[in-house]
Amino acid sequence: MRRFKRIIVIVLHSVGIGATADPGEFGDQGADTLGHVCQYWQGTLKLPTLTRLGLGNIPRESPLMGVSAVKPLTSQVGKMKPASADIDSLNGHWELMGTFVNPPLDTFPNGFPLPLINRIETFSNRKVLLNRPASVIAALKGFGEQESKEGDLIVYSSNDSVLQVSANEAVVSVNELYRICRYIRFMVDESRLRIGRIIARPFVGESPSDFKLTNNRQDLTIVPPTDTALELLTERHVPVAGIGSLIDLFSGRGITTQFDSRESNFKQLLEAVKTQVTGLVFADLGSLDEAGHARNPRGYGLALMQIDSQLNKIMTQLTPTDLMMITADQGNDPTYSGTGHTREYVPLIAASPNANGGQLGIRSTLSDLGATILSNFKIHNQLPGTSFLDQIS
């Protein structure tokens, strides 16, 4: 069996490829992130790198408009079905690395309990605004001006198990916002509430027309209940470079190398590919999920085309001993109702220079990816998932 010196995993945040067989449980019938974005662009969405890698060869009920199947297929392609009980970034990333959130985390469709809000106000000495589920764009447009004038905190949730806190950096410093969110994380962990992420979402701007998020986001997550593939790798002295929000999603556990967070995720990934020649490079390229939540298919397509161009630059750095795997954590159909994630299959592309192409089929869990990584580095474990390394080899 061929093994690789280095594996590069790239998570295209929220790029689903069609509803699973169980979307009715989540109210997501008919969701299809990639399919609907391609339809919105009427076949003009330019994804040459992903097309060359076999995106159009992944089995679907109907072809992706404007994304053709390629012959001969030089990559191994398929799709994976999420097995987690919830659909959000935390669950998706954890499942990729072989662990699950069980039982499901708490969500807050009617806002957070007043005792929690009161404690946030007392600790911060600031008034809480909103306290309802909302997209970050709606939260800033609706309450950013009041927050900026009065020094309040915008606290909001989503369909996921998150508590988000936004404040204008000119009014509430980033360090103060981090301090408030650390207190909320501690307070929640000491209570009976099970909230997956406390997220600091600072923004800048002087009016609703120019409010925008900064790169100073910070996610404070619950700790994975079991070891993940990342920790098993580092225990065996396999280097693991982490890039993007996934570092926070795993609470930094199992990550041996981080890069300058002031740089874009792509620049960090390019630096990692150039400098770390063995082990795992695990990257989340981001930038897509916000367009999904905002139900903005045009913005989603523009971001996807930019990422496609970036992937081409990564491809030029691969050696014959590299394996690159491209996937996603969940769907977020920007043409769907509401603002939440959507229960979908995620694409799976495994590519290596001079490798043969083929089909990996429909995998029953995202954990097959983590199992494949561990198998490659000869790490025996009892985490869920079935390796497909032999099919790649």
Side-chain angles (χ1 to χ4, degrees):
M1 179 187 297
R2 181 187 182 194
R3 298 183 189 275
F4 302 90
K5 290 177 60 177
R6 179 174 66 174
I7 294 180
I8 301 165
V9 174
I10 299 174
V11 181
L12 304 182
H13 198 31
S14 83
V15 180
I17 195 164
T20 64
D22 60 351
E25 300 176 22
F26 300 87
D28 296 334
Q29 298 94 329
D32 184 359
T33 300
L34 269 174
H36 289 153
V37 170
C38 288
Q39 287 178 13
Y40 174 87
W41 282 77
Q42 290 294 299
T44 65
L45 195 67
K46 303 299 183 183
L47 304 174
T49 307
L50 286 167
T51 298
R52 188 169 69 250
L53 288 170
L55 181 64
N57 296 73
I58 297 175
R60 291 174 43 89
E61 291 184 3
S62 60
L64 293 170
M65 185 179 294
V67 180
S68 58
V70 294
K71 293 183 180 180
L73 179 60
T74 59
S75 304
Q76 296 284 337
V77 301
K79 59 185 180 182
M80 298 187 291
K81 178 183 178 182
S84 298
D86 289 325
I87 44 173
D88 67 358
S89 301
L90 183 71
N91 283 270
H93 282 81
W94 281 15
E95 186 177 338
L96 285 168
M97 292 297 121
T99 193
F100 294 84
V101 179
N102 190 28
L105 299 171
D106 296 330
T107 56
F108 302 89
N110 299 312
F112 298 101
L114 287 181
L116 173 61
I117 297 299
N118 291 338
R119 291 187 66 178
I120 294 172
E121 291 182 330
T122 299
F123 177 82
S124 66
N125 197 30
R126 297 179 183 275
K127 180 182 176 182
V128 165
L129 305 175
L130 187 51
N131 188 24
R132 285 288 186 274
S135 70
V136 64
I137 293 175
L140 297 191
K141 285 186 176 180
F143 295 88
E145 192 167 20
Q146 181 179 348
E147 189 283 329
S148 300
K149 289 180 179 178
E150 301 180 8
D152 302 324
L153 301 173
I154 309 173
V155 175
Y156 52 106
S157 185
S158 70
N159 292 358
D160 305 328
S161 182
V162 299
L163 185 154
Q164 304 181 86
V165 186
S166 283
N168 195 318
E169 291 186 2
V171 179
V172 180
S173 72
V174 171
N175 286 335
E176 182 182 354
L177 184 61
Y178 289 169
R179 182 179 67 89
I180 293 168
C181 288
R182 286 196 298 269
Y183 170 76
I184 298 172
R185 178 78 270 174
F186 171 79
M187 179 174 55
V188 166
D189 290 345
E190 291 292 302
S191 73
R192 295 182 179 180
L193 297 176
R194 299 181 71 246
I195 302 178
R197 290 177 289 160
I198 310 299
I199 308 177
R201 309 287 309 260
F203 67 96
V204 294
E206 298 181 353
S207 66
S209 62
D210 66 355
F211 287 146
K212 63 179 181 179
L213 296 171
T214 72
N215 293 327
N216 292 320
R217 168 176 172 163
Q218 185 178 75
D219 292 43
L220 303 173
T221 67
I222 59 172
V223 175
T226 61
D227 283 348
T228 68
L230 302 179
E231 290 163 295
L232 296 181
L233 288 168
T234 54
E235 287 171 3
R236 299 295 184 88
H237 307 292
V238 177
V240 177
I243 295 154
S245 63
L246 61 86
I247 297 173
D248 288 342
L249 294 176
F250 288 94
S251 300
R253 298 191 175 200
I255 306 291
T256 58
T257 305
Q258 300 181 26
F259 294 83
D260 188 349
S261 60
R262 292 171 296 181
E263 297 285 358
S264 69
N265 288 7
F266 167 67
K267 287 184 177 179
Q268 293 179 61
L269 173 58
L270 196 59
E271 178 67 17
V273 171
K274 290 179 178 179
T275 59
Q276 181 169 306
V277 297
T278 62
L280 174 66
V281 176
F282 190 22
D284 185 336
L285 289 187
S287 76
L288 291 161
D289 201 39
E290 290 302 333
H293 285 304
R295 297 306 188 241
N296 178 8
R298 183 178 184 278
Y300 201 104
L302 291 172
L304 195 56
M305 287 190 284
Q306 180 181 29
I307 286 175
D308 188 87
S309 176
Q310 295 169 345
L311 289 174
N312 184 56
K313 296 177 182 178
I314 299 299
M315 290 286 293
T316 64
Q317 303 294 319
L318 299 184
T319 72
T321 59
D322 287 334
L323 171 65
M324 181 177 72
M325 294 193 286
I326 301 171
T327 188
D329 52 348
Q330 80 270 315
N332 197 350
D333 188 340
T335 71
Y336 210 68
S337 59
T339 61
H341 294 126
T342 45
R343 183 79 163 186
E344 300 180 47
Y345 290 101
V346 299
L348 175 61
I349 298 174
S352 183
N354 304 320
N356 295 323
Q359 291 285 343
L360 294 172
I362 301 175
R363 319 298 300 191
S364 60
T365 171
L366 277 57
S367 295
D368 286 1
L369 185 137
T372 301
I373 295 170
L374 293 175
S375 177
N376 180 75
F377 293 106
K378 300 182 180 180
I379 298 176
H380 299 289
N381 67 94
Q382 297 187 1
L383 296 183
T386 302
S387 170
F388 47 81
L389 184 66
D390 57 342
Q391 292 174 254
I392 299 172
S393 302

